[in-house]
Amino acid sequence: MSASTPFRRALAALALVSATAALSGCAFLSQFTGGGEAERDTEGQVIEGNDSTDVFTIQVGDCLNDAEATEQVETVPTTPCDEPHDSEVYASVIMSEDDYPGEDAILERADSECLTGFESFVGASYDESPYDFSYYFPTEGSWAQGDREILCVIYDPAGPVTGSLEGSSS
């Protein structure tokens, strides 16, 4: 089954990114994208959101208020998951190709990997769940700077939710 989503969101191509930089170079990245970071607790959970969180600092488990996001984005609003939010990052997929595989290949991989992770996250198959998914993915420009991450996000088409959707259909 091909899962199409009403809005696909792309990551902006503004900063040099790698898995290490995403963890250790956030201040460096912020100076290029204009975004900041959400305040996190010792477990890495967002405890104070940020209306302009740099997309390269988003992590699995983050809750976003990104329903208005379209096309390429540099920043997205983050919020603690116990507050109303539009979506939640539930999986990260790192692509290993050296050369940019093209948008169609990236979207195909995102559809497949995000669908695969959906059932284990929600506790029900995509077809049986009331939820949908989308993703952030590398653009050709961000790929050239080292970006290889696809972030899968789950959302309720009926509107904002409060709390994590992990295990919500179990």
Side-chain angles (χ1 to χ4, degrees):
M1 173 181 96
S2 173
S4 62
T5 57
F7 53 96
R8 290 188 171 138
R9 297 165 282 196
L11 295 175
L14 295 177
L16 179 64
V17 177
S18 69
T20 304
L23 296 174
S24 64
C26 296
F28 173 75
L29 294 174
S30 295
Q31 69 184 343
F32 292 106
T33 63
E37 291 183 68
E39 186 177 330
R40 298 176 183 279
D41 63 17
T42 56
E43 285 83 42
Q45 298 299 308
V46 172
I47 57 173
E48 186 174 325
N50 180 325
D51 287 338
S52 298
T53 301
D54 185 315
V55 293
F56 294 111
T57 66
I58 296 171
Q59 303 173 19
V60 171
D62 286 357
C63 292
L64 314 172
N65 280 319
D66 61 347
E68 303 294 319
T70 59
E71 301 300 321
Q72 294 184 13
V73 296
E74 298 173 14
T75 63
V76 294
T78 53
T79 189
C81 292
D82 61 359
E83 295 180 11
H85 56 275
D86 300 322
S87 66
E88 177 180 357
V89 181
Y90 70 92
S92 169
V93 178
I94 305 297
M95 300 185 72
S96 60
E97 294 86 342
D98 289 329
D99 295 328
Y100 181 70
E103 187 173 298
D104 289 343
I106 291 172
L107 297 180
E108 183 177 314
R109 175 89 182 265
D111 281 339
S112 173
E113 297 279 346
C114 291
L115 181 60
T116 299
F118 186 92
E119 184 171 346
S120 61
F121 182 78
V122 175
S125 73
Y126 176 76
D127 291 334
E128 297 170 348
S129 172
Y131 307 118
D132 206 341
F133 70 88
S134 186
Y135 36 80
Y136 289 88
F137 59 93
T139 63
E140 186 172 6
S142 69
W143 189 278
Q145 300 302 313
D147 179 20
R148 302 290 187 275
E149 185 173 37
I150 297 167
L151 291 172
C152 305
V153 296
I154 186 170
Y155 66 96
D156 187 341
V161 299
T162 301
S164 175
L165 293 177
E166 185 172 13
S168 59
S169 292
S170 310

